[in-house]
C-alpha cells in the first residue's frame, strides 16, 4: 500500500459511487491508474466489498436483531460459525470474547421471522443459549456514518 | 392535523417492489459498482429499463447510497468491538451525541433488550479500546458500559438477506 492507494481509498470510502475519472482528476493521475489500484486492492482482499445502502424500513423491515450466542464448552466455534452463516437473513457473524461466544446480526422483518432465525440457531449442535437485543435501526448494511471513520483514517495514512 | 397523520402513514408505507427490483438489489448488494450492462444482463432486461428502476428505488429512498468495506487492519484499526451501553433515559441523547463526536464509534443505535444503546468501535489496539470505553463511561453518565470484543475475522454475508417482492 502506497500513498496513492490510501488517497484512492479515502475518496472511495467517502463516496463509493465516485467514478474513477472523478477521483483521477482530483488526485492528478489517470483514470486507468485509479482503476488499476482499485482492482489490485480488491484482488488482495483489502477492499472486500462495495455494498448498496438500503433503507430497509421502506421494504417493511422494523430493525435489527443482535443474537448473542453461548456455545457449550466442547463445541468447535469455527464450525458453528459456518452453520450460523448459512441461516437466511443473518448478515454478520463473529466470534466473540467475554460474555458470550458468537454474535450474529440479522435484519428484522417481523416477529415470525426473528423467531425462525433464533430457532434455527437453537437447533444447531452445541448451542447452549441465545439472547437477543433489538435496535430500530433499519439501515442496511450499516449506518451512513460508517465510511467517514475509515475515510479520515485513510487520508491520515496517505498524508503521514 | 388529521391530514398530516394520513401523509405520515403514507410516507411510511412499504414501497412496492417486484421480482426484477429484487434481482437488481441483490446484484447491487453483491457489488454496488457493478456495470449497468452486467446488472441488466443478469436480470434479463435492458440497461435503460434497469436504470429507470434504480432511479425509482433511489427517489423513493429505498437505495440511499453505498458502503465500501475495507480490511480495518490496513487502516490501522485491527481491534473491533461492540459496545453495549446501559443508561437512564435522560442520558440517552447525551450519549448518542457523544458517540457522534467520537470518531472511533460508528453505527450507534438505541436498542431494547440487554442494552439501551449499541455501537460499534474500531481501535488500533486494546489500550485504545479501553480508553474509549473509559471516555464513554465518564462523559456520558452511563450506568454501565460493556465491551464485547470481536475475535477472529468478522464474517460479512450481506447477500444473505432475503429481500422479498411486495405488492400492496
Amino acid at each position: 500500500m502506497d500513498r496513492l492507494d490510501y488517497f484512492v481509498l479515502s475518496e472511495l470510502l467517502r463516496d463509493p459511487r465516485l467514478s474513477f475519472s472523478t477521483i483521477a482528476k482530483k488526485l492528478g493521475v489517470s483514470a486507468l491508474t485509479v482503476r488499476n489500484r482499485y482492482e489490485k486492492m480488491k484482488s488482495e482482499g483489502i477492499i472486500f466489498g462495495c455494498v448498496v445502502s438500503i433503507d430497509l424500513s421502506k421494504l417493511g423491515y422494523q430493525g435489527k436483531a443482535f443474537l448473542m450466542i453461548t456455545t457449550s464448552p466442547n463445541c468447535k466455534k469455527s464450525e458453528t460459525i459456518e452453520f450460523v452463516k448459512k441461516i437466511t437473513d443473518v448478515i454478520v457473524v463473529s466470534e466473540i470474547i467475554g460474555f458470550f461466544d458468537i454474535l450474529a446480526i440479522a435484519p428484522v422483518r417481523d416477529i415470525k421471522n426473528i423467531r425462525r432465525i433464533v430457532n434455527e440457531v437453537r437447533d444447531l449442535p452445541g448451542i447452549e443459549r441465545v439472547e437477543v437485543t433489538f435496535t430500530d435501526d433499519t439501515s442496511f448494511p450499516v449506518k451512513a456514518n460508517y465510511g467517514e471513520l475509515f475515510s479520515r483514517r485513510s487520508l491520515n495514512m496517505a498524508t503521514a | 392535523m388529521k391530514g398530516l397523520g394520513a401523509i405520515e402513514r403514507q410516507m411510511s408505507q412499504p414501497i412496492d417492489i417486484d421480482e426484477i427490483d429484487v434481482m437488481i438489489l441483490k446484484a447491487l448488494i453483491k457489488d454496488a459498482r457493478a456495470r449497468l450492462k452486467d446488472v441488466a444482463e443478469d436480470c434479463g432486461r435492458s440497461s435503460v429499463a434497469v436504470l429507470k428502476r434504480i432511479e425509482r428505488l433511489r427517489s423513493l429512498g429505498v437505495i440511499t447510497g453505498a458502503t465500501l468495506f475495507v480490511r480495518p487492519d490496513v487502516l490501522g484499526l485491527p481491534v473491533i468491538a461492540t459496545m453495549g451501553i446501559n443508561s437512564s433515559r435522560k442520558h440517552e441523547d447525551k450519549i448518542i451525541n457523544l458517540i457522534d463526536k467520537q470518531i472511533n464509534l460508528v453505527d450507534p443505535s438505541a436498542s431494547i433488550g440487554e442494552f439501551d444503546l449499541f455501537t460499534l468501535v474500531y481501535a488500533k489496539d486494546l489500550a485504545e479500546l479501553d480508553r474509549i470505553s473509559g471516555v464513554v463511561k465518564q462523559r456520558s453518565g452511563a450506568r454501565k458500559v460493556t465491551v464485547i470484543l470481536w475475535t477472529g475475522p468478522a464474517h460479512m454475508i450481506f447477500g444473505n438477506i432475503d429481500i422479498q417482492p411486495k405488492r400492496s
Side-chain angles (χ1 to χ4, degrees):
Chain A
M1 294 280 293
D2 64 12
R3 277 181 198 280
L4 185 58
D5 290 323
Y6 282 114
F7 272 122
V8 168
L9 263 189
S10 151
E11 290 299 306
L12 284 170
L13 284 161
R14 203 171 33 84
D15 183 356
R17 290 170 303 170
L18 286 173
S19 70
F20 293 136
S21 55
T22 305
I23 297 174
K25 243 175 251 161
K26 182 164 178 186
L27 299 181
V29 295
S30 75
L32 184 59
T33 301
V34 175
R35 175 189 290 279
N36 285 340
R37 296 306 182 104
Y38 176 75
E39 294 297 337
K40 178 193 73 156
M41 288 191 276
K42 262 178 84 174
S43 68
E44 287 174 358
I46 289 169
I47 293 174
F48 59 86
C50 187
V51 183
V52 69
S53 299
I54 298 172
D55 178 356
L56 290 178
S57 70
K58 297 286 194 297
L59 302 180
Y61 285 73
Q62 310 206 38
K64 283 188 187 139
F66 291 75
L67 280 70
M68 297 172 283
I69 302 165
T70 304
T71 54
S72 51
N74 57 349
C75 159
K76 204 148 178 245
K77 276 203 241 178
S78 54
E79 271 176 28
T80 305
I81 285 176
E82 289 307 312
F83 282 125
V84 174
K85 278 165 73 176
K86 292 199 174 73
I87 298 174
T88 303
D89 283 329
V90 170
I91 57 172
V92 177
V93 187
S94 182
E95 193 180 309
I96 291 293
I97 258 189
F99 305 88
F100 50 96
D101 300 306
I102 297 171
L103 174 70
I105 304 178
V108 178
R109 256 210 298 276
D110 49 43
I111 291 183
K112 194 167 100 178
N113 202 40
I114 247 318
R115 233 194 12 227
R116 191 247 327 145
I117 296 170
V118 171
N119 283 337
E120 278 192 49
V121 174
R122 285 217 184 101
D123 287 343
L124 294 174
I127 301 293
E128 220 165 69
R129 194 180 154 119
V130 181
E131 287 177 51
V132 193
T133 268
F134 295 93
T135 73
D136 58 9
D137 168 35
T138 51
S139 54
F140 170 92
V142 289
K143 280 204 173 148
N145 66 343
Y146 189 89
E148 193 194 317
L149 161 66
F150 296 107
S151 176
R152 280 203 224 173
R153 203 71 178 203
S154 197
L155 191 59
N156 288 343
M157 297 189 87
T159 54
Chain B
M1 291 286 112
K2 191 165 137 192
L4 212 58
I7 291 170
E8 262 178 25
R9 263 198 307 282
Q10 181 139 78
M11 278 169 67
S12 64
Q13 286 300 322
I15 306 295
D16 281 352
I17 58 169
D18 63 16
E19 290 80 3
I20 305 296
D21 294 321
V22 171
M23 285 173 85
I24 292 171
L25 288 173
K26 283 195 145 85
L28 296 177
I29 287 171
K30 199 158 160 212
D31 184 2
R33 290 187 65 99
R35 290 189 312 177
L36 183 61
K37 193 177 88 153
D38 295 330
V39 176
E41 215 169 280
D42 287 345
C43 298
R45 291 288 185 279
S46 72
S47 293
V48 173
V50 169
L51 185 61
K52 272 181 82 174
R53 282 168 177 271
I54 293 175
E55 308 267 286
R56 173 179 175 266
L57 292 170
R58 268 208 203 116
S59 69
L60 290 174
V62 175
I63 290 178
T64 59
T67 306
L68 194 76
F69 287 93
V70 171
R71 254 180 45 202
D73 56 296
V74 167
L75 297 175
L77 296 169
V79 172
I80 309 177
T82 300
M83 203 173 274
I85 299 168
N86 292 92
S87 70
S88 58
R89 291 293 312 267
K90 63 177 177 159
H91 283 132
E92 252 165 46
D93 286 336
K94 189 170 166 192
I95 296 176
I96 293 196
N97 262 333
L98 178 67
I99 290 177
D100 277 337
K101 291 206 183 66
Q102 282 284 329
I103 193 58
N104 286 69
L105 306 182
V106 291
D107 226 33
S109 295
S111 64
I112 59 167
E114 191 79 23
F115 306 109
D116 303 318
L117 288 157
F118 231 40
T119 184
L120 206 54
V121 191
Y122 286 86
K124 71 173 195 273
D125 49 35
L126 290 175
E128 189 181 43
L129 180 64
D130 207 30
R131 196 177 46 78
I132 294 166
S133 151
V135 164
V136 171
K137 210 178 294 184
Q138 272 169 22
R139 293 223 212 121
S140 66
R143 270 192 300 114
K144 188 167 88 161
V145 173
T146 307
V147 176
I148 299 160
L149 187 64
W150 296 26
T151 57
H155 303 265
M156 298 185 179
I157 34 185
F158 300 124
N160 219 15
I161 184 176
D162 186 28
I163 296 177
Q164 293 289 312
K166 184 194 182 296
R167 246 167 250 93
S168 50

